[in-house]
Amino acid sequence: EVQLVDSGGGLVQPGGSLRLSCAASGFTFSSYWMSWVRQAPGKGLEWVANIKQDGSEKYYVDSVKGRFTISRDNAKDSLYLQMNSLRADDTAVYYCARGIGVVTSYYFDHWGQGTRVTVSS
Amino acid sequence: DIVMTQSPDSLAVSLGERATIRCKSSQSVLYSSDSKNYLAWYQQKPGQPPKLLIYWASTRESGVPDRFSGSGSGTDFTLTISSLQAEDVAVYYCQQYYSTPGWTFGQGTKVAIK
């Protein structure tokens, strides 16, 4: 059974940092693009970042470029999101998601349960 | 980025009746080389992550009840629930994966029981 377990969220002050993790199991992690998608309170879904199977390609939504870094450790079947210079509008539930499709054109067939990030003083 | 616009924002349907949600993209998501529409639909229940329902605009994910169907091509798409059940109360999102990077979602449509 495919499982994605998100962790690392919490309360952080503006300007602070957090590192989110996603532990994968039940599939060959190294064969899939992986993504982070977030959902602000009461709002819709927003793709944040993704990373190619071998980590050689990474993409970010404009609003997080230069502040967030996505990475993966295929030996540990884990995905990460390092978030720096956090702002109030980064407050959201962050989900890791597995991508499936054609090359970089993929939809998300499995999602983690989400981890909540609150940026507030 | 491709903008996805869903309508309506919310709807209330009687149990057993049909629910129809529309999704319009700001540009075509039909890829001419493979004649596929790069559009997916998700269901999100309160407190839960999204769940994939439909991909390639009309292919139902394994395990999804056949009362859920997707249709459309190019820029206009529809998700239909043929006979609404109580467990279908949720928010539904469309997503394009034609223009990448830059995966974008619709704003969501909330489905309730009338």
Side-chain angles (χ1 to χ4, degrees), chain B residues 24-66:
Chain B
K24 188 174 183 65
S25 57
S26 60
Q27 63 187 75
S28 176
V29 298
L30 173 62
Y31 196 36
S32 57
S33 65
D34 60 9
S35 299
K36 287 184 175 181
N37 287 283
Y38 284 50
L39 183 111
W41 288 96
Y42 301 87
Q43 175 194 64
Q44 187 178 32
K45 296 181 179 180
Q48 295 185 20
K51 173 188 173 183
L52 176 67
L53 295 177
I54 303 281
Y55 55 95
W56 302 125
S58 60
T59 302
R60 201 179 302 115
E61 174 72 335
S62 175
V64 172
D66 60 7

Side-chain angles (χ1 to χ4, degrees), chain A residues 1-3 6-7 13 15 22 33 42 49 58 70 80 101 119:
Chain A
E1 178 195 4
V2 173
Q3 278 202 315
D6 304 319
S7 63
Q13 292 188 337
C22 170
W33 280 82
K58 305 175 185 182
I70 189 172
Y80 306 102
V119 184

Side-chain angles (χ1 to χ4, degrees), chain B residues 73-85:
Chain B
S73 185
T75 61
D76 293 281
F77 300 90
T78 301
L79 174 69
T80 301
I81 310 172
S82 60
S83 175
L84 191 75
Q85 304 299 304

Side-chain angles (χ1 to χ4, degrees), chain A residues 1-5 22-27 110-112:
Chain A
E1 178 195 4
V2 173
Q3 278 202 315
L4 298 170
V5 179
C22 170
S25 61
F27 65 102
H110 286 89
W111 298 64

Side-chain angles (χ1 to χ4, degrees), chain A residues 36-40 44-49 61 63-64 89, chain B residues 103 105:
Chain A
W36 288 99
V37 178
R38 68 184 177 184
Q39 186 170 36
L45 301 167
E46 179 185 40
W47 165 77
V48 174
V61 69
S63 60
V64 309
D89 61 358
Chain B
W103 295 255
F105 296 86

Side-chain angles (χ1 to χ4, degrees), chain A residues 5-120:
Chain A
V5 179
D6 304 319
S7 63
L11 174 64
V12 61
Q13 292 188 337
S17 298
L18 272 180
R19 189 194 195 208
L20 306 184
S21 299
C22 170
S25 61
F27 65 102
T28 304
F29 180 72
S30 59
S31 296
Y32 292 85
W33 280 82
M34 296 296 297
S35 297
W36 288 99
V37 178
R38 68 184 177 184
Q39 186 170 36
K43 302 296 184 183
L45 301 167
E46 179 185 40
W47 165 77
V48 174
N50 64 355
I51 184 168
K52 193 176 179 179
Q53 289 91 331
D54 62 0
S56 61
E57 293 182 36
K58 305 175 185 182
Y59 300 98
Y60 301 91
V61 69
D62 285 348
S63 60
V64 309
K65 283 179 183 174
R67 301 188 299 122
F68 290 12
T69 302
I70 189 172
S71 62
R72 66 192 296 162
D73 185 337
N74 287 341
K76 294 183 177 179
D77 291 341
S78 292
L79 176 72
Y80 306 102
L81 186 68
Q82 178 67 42
M83 304 187 296
N84 298 332
S85 303
L86 282 161
R87 312 185 306 217
D89 61 358
D90 294 317
T91 294
V93 175
Y94 286 72
Y95 299 98
C96 72
R98 187 178 84 166
I100 189 164
V102 178
V103 192
T104 60
S105 295
Y106 53 81
Y107 49 92
F108 306 110
D109 69 337
H110 286 89
W111 298 64
Q113 86 287 357
T115 186
R116 186 175 302 274
V117 173
T118 302
V119 184
S120 175

